[in-house]
């Protein structure tokens, strides 16, 4: 990729006002229909540090590395930040988790990237709700982060030290409304035993 072509590539990437790209979206932006030439263009953009590879087929365009939560949303879609990460961010859980934890309807997995680990926990589509978009990423509300944690704990897939949490941040009315939406007896039992409302 010659400097003029590199310059055009940068202009094309800038014009999208996006930061995250897949191979397909890079192909569309750069105008490459031939896979071989597209891969060569991507390699040259990476070598020139114009784009950064985040995972297989996923790239970031920008000078500064993106926020971990935005990366988490992009690496596996659909997903939203939840569980220990959200609980810590809201101040409910004081311990800082190393993993960035998310909920997804996709298969559970861990992706290691940029000195971080991103954990995705599968949940059924009917439980994929209760999140908001803030600062460019999707995150569970405080109440849904509690529900997600309790739901997974009731299935034996997570632990929850709820007696050590700061419950002041949690909207108790909303928490109860959310809890009523979960039609799973072990969850109902777990919730009634551990929720501080």
């Amino acid at each position: 990729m010659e400097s003029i072509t590199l310059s055009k590539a940068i202009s094309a990437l800038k014009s999208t006002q996006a930061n995250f790209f897949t191979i397909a979206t890079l192909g569309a932006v750069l105008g490459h229909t031939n896979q071989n030439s597209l891969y060569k263009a991507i390699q040259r953009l990476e070598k020139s540090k114009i784009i950064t590879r985040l995972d297989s087929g996923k790239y970031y365009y920008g000078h500064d590395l993106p926020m971990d939560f935005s990366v988490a949303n992009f690496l596996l879609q659909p997903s939203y930040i939840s569980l220990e990460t959200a609980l810590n961010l809201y101040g409910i859980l004081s311990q800082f988790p190393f993993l960035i934890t998310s909920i997804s309807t996709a298969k559970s997995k861990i992706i290691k990237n940029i000195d971080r680990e991103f954990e995705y926990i599968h949940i059924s589509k009917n439980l994929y709700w209760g999140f908001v978009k803030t600062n460019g990423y999707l995150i569970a509300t405080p109440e849904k982060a509690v529900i997600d944690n309790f739901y997974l704990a009731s299935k034996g897939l997570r632990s929850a030290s709820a007696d050590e949490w700061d419950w002041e941040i949690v909207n108790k009315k909303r928490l109860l409304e959310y809890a009523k939406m979960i039609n799973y007896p072990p969850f109902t039992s777990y919730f009634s035993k551990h929720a501080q409302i």
Side-chain angles (χ1 to χ4, degrees):
M1 188 180 283
E2 297 171 3
S3 58
I4 184 90
T5 310
L6 190 61
S7 174
K8 282 182 181 177
I10 293 168
S11 295
L13 289 166
K14 252 185 205 172
S15 70
T16 65
Q17 297 187 333
N19 292 104
F20 295 101
F21 295 91
T22 62
I23 289 174
T25 55
L26 277 172
V29 170
L30 301 175
H32 284 286
T33 52
N34 180 286
Q35 285 293 97
N36 192 36
S37 63
L38 173 59
Y39 285 121
K40 283 181 181 174
I42 289 172
Q43 284 177 342
R44 290 175 182 152
L45 285 168
E46 274 191 272
K47 194 174 180 182
S48 302
K49 301 192 186 309
I50 304 300
I51 60 173
T52 305
R53 184 179 179 272
L54 297 175
D55 195 34
S56 178
K58 305 211 170 169
Y59 301 87
Y60 175 75
Y61 165 70
H63 297 295
D64 303 313
L65 284 175
M67 186 173 184
D68 287 338
F69 295 170
S70 299
V71 173
N73 280 181
F74 176 65
L75 289 177
L76 188 65
Q77 299 172 6
S79 67
Y80 63 88
I81 303 296
S82 188
L83 304 168
E84 295 85 1
T85 302
L87 292 170
N88 174 261
L89 182 70
Y90 291 126
I92 298 167
L93 175 68
S94 60
Q95 294 170 317
F96 183 79
F98 178 74
L99 287 171
I100 304 290
T101 53
S102 298
I103 290 292
S104 177
T105 55
K107 189 178 177 182
S108 295
K109 68 190 299 186
I110 290 179
I111 299 174
K112 295 180 181 181
N113 165 278
I114 318 174
D115 300 326
R116 290 309 300 256
E117 287 189 15
F118 299 89
E119 180 185 28
Y120 299 88
I121 304 297
H122 169 78
I123 206 164
S124 61
K125 286 182 181 178
N126 64 323
L127 296 176
Y128 191 83
W129 47 265
F131 52 88
V132 293
K133 187 167 189 175
T134 179
N135 300 318
Y137 58 85
L138 300 176
I139 185 167
T141 62
E143 298 74 29
K144 187 54 165 44
V146 170
I147 294 293
D148 287 342
N149 200 290
F150 278 12
Y151 176 75
L152 292 168
S154 73
K155 296 186 86 169
L157 301 172
R158 216 83 182 165
S159 61
S161 305
D163 54 329
E164 297 173 12
W165 293 357
D166 182 352
W167 287 85
E168 292 299 311
I169 294 107
V170 180
N171 181 315
K172 309 300 191 299
K173 184 181 176 186
R174 185 183 298 151
L175 183 66
L176 280 168
E177 287 170 359
Y178 281 4
K180 287 174 186 172
M181 295 168 70
I182 311 295
N183 186 22
Y184 181 60
F187 165 82
T188 305
S189 173
Y190 193 96
F191 182 87
S192 61
K193 192 181 291 185
H194 296 280
Q196 296 186 21
I197 49 177

